[in-house]
Amino acid sequence: MYILRTKEEVNYNLQILPKSNKTIGLVPTMGALHQGHLELVKIAKQNSAYVVVSIFINPTQFNNQEDFEKYPKTLDKDLELLHKSGVDYLFMPDTVEIYPSRPTLSIDFGHLDKILEGSFRPGHFNGVGIVVSKLLNIVKPNIAFFGQKDLQQVAIIKRLVEDFSFDVKINVVPTVREEDGMALSSRNLRLDPESRQSARIISKALFFAKSELLAGNSWLSIRKKVNQMFESEPQAKLEYFEMVTSDSFHILDSIGNERNVSICAAAYISDIRLIDNISIFD
Ligand code: PAF
């Protein structure tokens, strides 16, 4: 695995690859890698001749300085995991390489960044949009791989790719879960054993809501029960629990004829904010 730190190194190394079958797959990450990232790498390897993983903790997507500072860093382990997974290139730029100056451009995603994550984390998707644009411009992948766990981010990135005509295919990889249902996330590393137990409530509520919906129960009654579930979990504080159209993120209060429906949730478990989602018809 070659470690590349600058745009020039990426350019040089990727441009000398043989012209035939040169599909380049990019897996953008912020490090603190887990099985979910390794699943992205696995799918990337199946679909591309060369896999580039990037590790960059992007300061512009954190609306909370403490969250940025406390974002888990496990570089030695990350390097070992990526090496073992057969990644070809690791792009690991420093902040100045990505942001030689503070970006003045901001991206208006319209409705998509006004609700759920967008409204609770103002500026977050602008930061994601800017850094993903930069990574796509630097690496110029044919395919980029993102986890379904960040469903709203996926919608934002698809919009970005369409509106800016990036020549890249977006491949969305299903969420990897622990045995008890909890979605893997780098932030889980910050949970102590007690909080880890409490955090199960998020996936439990999502699976519960999905089965209730499929059984024909009303969203109103499901939401009530979900609120009660969270109230009985002292460490957990529910931020939102919404049913939406999975691509356009319009809030629904019944399924109607929609078939592309997901439930999205965000909750604090002590002081750690976690998100998860579940698709209703998969
Ligand atoms: O999903 C993430 O880890 C980040 O938001 C991403 C896409 C790497 C951009 O910093």
Side-chain angles (χ1 to χ4, degrees):
M1 180 174 74
Y2 294 93
I3 300 184
L4 313 172
R5 295 192 180 268
T6 64
K7 299 186 265 276
E8 287 72 25
E9 283 173 9
V10 174
N11 239 337
Y12 176 76
N13 279 273
L14 298 187
Q15 141 206 307
I16 59 170
L17 293 175
K19 289 260 179 301
S20 61
N21 187 18
K22 201 185 144 174
T23 316
I24 295 172
L26 171 66
V27 179
T29 82
M30 298 206 295
L33 304 180
H34 50 66
Q35 205 51 45
H37 295 110
L38 299 185
E39 187 65 17
L40 294 177
V41 170
K42 189 178 108 191
I43 306 291
K45 278 182 72 73
Q46 289 166 359
N47 288 278
S48 1
Y50 301 95
V51 173
V52 182
V53 170
S54 62
I55 294 185
F56 178 66
I57 306 183
N58 173 36
T60 64
Q61 72 185 75
F62 288 83
N63 57 314
N64 174 329
Q65 184 63 19
E66 194 189 338
D67 190 27
F68 174 56
E69 280 158 15
K70 290 195 172 163
Y71 198 81
K73 294 163 196 77
T74 56
L75 189 55
D76 290 345
K77 187 175 151 231
D78 292 354
L79 291 177
E80 200 187 314
L81 288 173
L82 293 178
H83 186 73
K84 277 197 192 139
S85 334
V87 165
D88 301 288
Y89 299 95
L90 169 61
F91 179 41
M92 217 170 46
D94 65 16
T95 309
V96 176
E97 186 64 23
I98 296 292
Y99 294 112
S101 59
R102 218 187 144 71
T104 49
L105 178 84
S106 70
I107 311 172
D108 182 352
F109 290 99
H111 166 76
L112 270 184
D113 73 357
K114 304 224 169 13
I115 53 157
L116 307 190
E117 286 306 282
S119 75
F120 283 97
R121 301 185 68 191
H124 168 65
F125 286 132
N126 179 51
V128 170
I130 287 178
V131 81
V132 170
S133 302
K134 282 174 179 271
L135 292 170
L136 294 177
N137 278 327
I138 294 169
V139 177
K140 303 179 190 69
N142 304 91
I143 319 177
F145 298 81
F146 295 90
Q148 194 174 346
K149 151 111 181 0
D150 295 306
L151 190 69
Q152 200 171 353
Q153 170 170 281
V154 166
I156 288 278
I157 289 167
K158 285 183 173 167
R159 191 76 255 159
L160 183 86
V161 165
E162 192 179 320
D163 284 5
F164 285 152
S165 303
F166 280 109
D167 192 9
V168 65
K169 195 172 152 254
I170 300 301
N171 187 318
V172 183
V173 178
T175 304
V176 179
R177 296 182 180 279
E178 305 262 18
E179 251 175 45
D180 65 1
M182 171 135 165
L184 296 192
S185 160
S186 302
R187 285 189 172 80
N188 295 356
L189 287 175
R190 294 186 52 208
L191 297 167
D192 61 30
E194 204 184 320
S195 320
R196 169 62 187 82
Q197 278 298 103
S198 304
R200 292 170 52 191
I201 180 86
I202 304 174
S203 56
K204 217 170 124 189
L206 286 170
F207 283 108
F208 166 79
K210 173 174 174 167
S211 73
E212 291 278 297
L213 265 176
L214 292 175
N217 292 311
S218 80
W219 181 241
L220 196 70
S221 69
I222 298 169
R223 278 270 293 262
K224 255 193 202 149
K225 287 188 194 149
V226 165
N227 284 337
Q228 284 162 2
M229 285 167 77
F230 274 87
E231 275 156 22
S232 63
E233 188 59 66
Q235 288 216 42
K237 192 172 163 282
L238 185 61
E239 202 164 56
Y240 63 74
F241 195 90
E242 297 287 355
M243 178 163 62
V244 294
T245 51
S246 313
D247 291 328
S248 52
F249 273 76
H250 286 110
I251 302 233
L252 302 171
D253 54 20
S254 69
I255 294 183
N257 293 326
E258 281 291 344
R259 281 300 168 266
N260 198 12
V261 178
S262 296
I263 307 173
C264 297
Y268 276 92
I269 305 295
S270 61
D271 64 337
I272 299 142
R273 187 176 183 279
L274 299 174
I275 60 170
D276 195 359
N277 67 81
I278 197 167
S279 159
I280 302 304
F281 305 101
D282 46 12

